[in-house]
Amino acid sequence: MFLQDSGSPLMEQLSFFHDHALLILVIITVLVGQLLFSLFFNKYTHRFLLEGQTIEMIWTILPAVTLIFIALPSLRLIYILDEINNPILSIKSIGHQWYWSYEYSDFKNIEFDSYMIPINELKSFNFRLLDVDNRMVIPFESQIRLLVTSTDVIHSWTIPALGVKIDATPGRLNQVSFSTNRSGLFFGQCSEICGANHSFMPIVIESISSKYFINWISKMIEI
Ligand code: CUA
């Protein structure tokens, strides 16, 4: 019925569209259900009636109009999702079998790998099958440009709460733009079947204030 709470303006819009489409679906289901149910009480009047121009006009045009009501907001969303609003930060994410690696090329080309924490090494504060050793750190309320690619097979960089889902394809560079509207952790998983450990290459975003982000990036440059 419902999606996870949104962590970005994009996902909020996607949730609104989901609710809109679901509402139309419920209306159609109730209408058709009522029609089907009424057939049980059919009195077989008009059994020699073979055509009706008026009703055919109505049930041709009505579904067409209904589809337009879904298609136009959907089209609007596609364009909003594709917009890049002056990103303050560009990050590269590279898919591997089976882990992600990140590059912050705006700052002396910082790069690191991000592996899932194995179950036998879990600490009490870790999240089972979802946590990683090195998280992707970003400042909140800022536009991020993410460039995604892969070195071996197709992976998919997916974070449901942020409304981001983009394939990491070998030989291609894909681009997404997003922002977070609060601090916190955002979890995601690879969503292209990429081999034996497909389920074990999660993505974690650590969204922090820009002040702490600068602290973090300075530490990373020192290393
Ligand atoms: Cu990488 Cu599935």
Side-chain angles (χ1 to χ4, degrees):
M1 276 281 277
F2 301 105
L3 295 167
Q4 189 178 20
D5 279 356
S6 62
S8 75
L10 288 182
M11 191 58 224
E12 189 181 34
Q13 291 298 313
L14 286 162
S15 291
F16 289 155
F17 177 68
H18 167 266
D19 295 349
H20 171 74
L22 197 68
L23 195 74
I24 293 176
L25 205 75
V26 167
I27 292 169
I28 294 171
T29 309
V30 169
L31 203 84
V32 175
Q34 202 267 331
L35 250 44
L36 285 175
F37 186 72
S38 69
L39 289 177
F40 289 114
F41 309 99
N42 200 339
K43 293 283 185 300
Y44 298 107
T45 48
H46 307 304
R47 67 189 185 284
F48 299 113
L49 183 74
L50 293 173
E51 62 172 330
Q53 295 294 327
T54 320
I55 193 64
E56 297 233 352
M57 281 293 277
I58 292 169
W59 69 40
T60 305
I61 291 167
L62 253 175
V65 172
T66 313
L67 286 178
I68 289 168
F69 272 99
I70 301 171
L72 293 183
S74 169
L75 217 56
R76 187 191 80 115
L77 251 174
I78 288 174
Y79 282 103
I80 292 175
L81 290 175
D82 213 39
E83 191 69 50
I84 347 145
N85 311 298
N86 297 317
I88 62 143
L89 183 64
S90 294
I91 305 171
K92 296 173 192 165
S93 177
I94 302 112
H96 307 264
Q97 274 174 323
W98 287 273
Y99 63 97
W100 293 95
S101 66
Y102 296 97
E103 290 181 16
Y104 289 65
S105 355
D106 296 347
F107 309 92
K108 289 191 174 173
N109 207 43
I110 291 165
E111 43 189 305
F112 57 88
D113 296 339
S114 179
Y115 281 90
M116 187 192 80
I117 312 254
I119 296 190
N120 54 334
E121 288 169 30
L122 277 181
K123 298 273 164 41
S124 58
F125 50 82
N126 284 139
F127 295 85
R128 181 179 162 270
L129 299 180
L130 279 180
D131 229 335
V132 293
D133 52 0
N134 296 303
R135 293 162 175 166
M136 174 183 152
V137 182
I138 54 162
F140 58 68
E141 285 177 349
S142 358
Q143 269 302 311
I144 315 284
R145 166 167 48 199
L146 191 75
L147 299 162
V148 186
T149 188
S150 171
T151 53
D152 33 55
V153 297
I154 305 175
H155 300 275
S156 180
W157 202 94
T158 306
I159 296 210
L162 302 180
V164 179
K165 186 171 192 279
I166 189 129
D167 274 12
T169 314
R172 283 183 155 271
L173 195 63
N174 288 326
Q175 176 181 262
V176 265
S177 175
F178 66 94
S179 64
T180 54
N181 42 26
R182 59 185 164 84
S183 59
L185 296 178
F186 295 96
F187 293 95
Q189 285 177 301
C190 175
S191 51
E192 282 283 5
I193 309 297
C194 57
N197 290 328
H198 157 67
S199 318
F200 309 116
M201 49 179 299
I203 301 142
V204 186
I205 283 189
E206 191 173 327
S207 177
I208 56 179
S209 77
S210 39
K211 194 184 115 190
Y212 283 109
F213 175 76
I214 289 166
N215 284 344
W216 176 81
I217 211 85
S218 325
K219 285 259 176 59
M220 291 297 279
I221 291 170
E222 282 167 29
I223 302 167

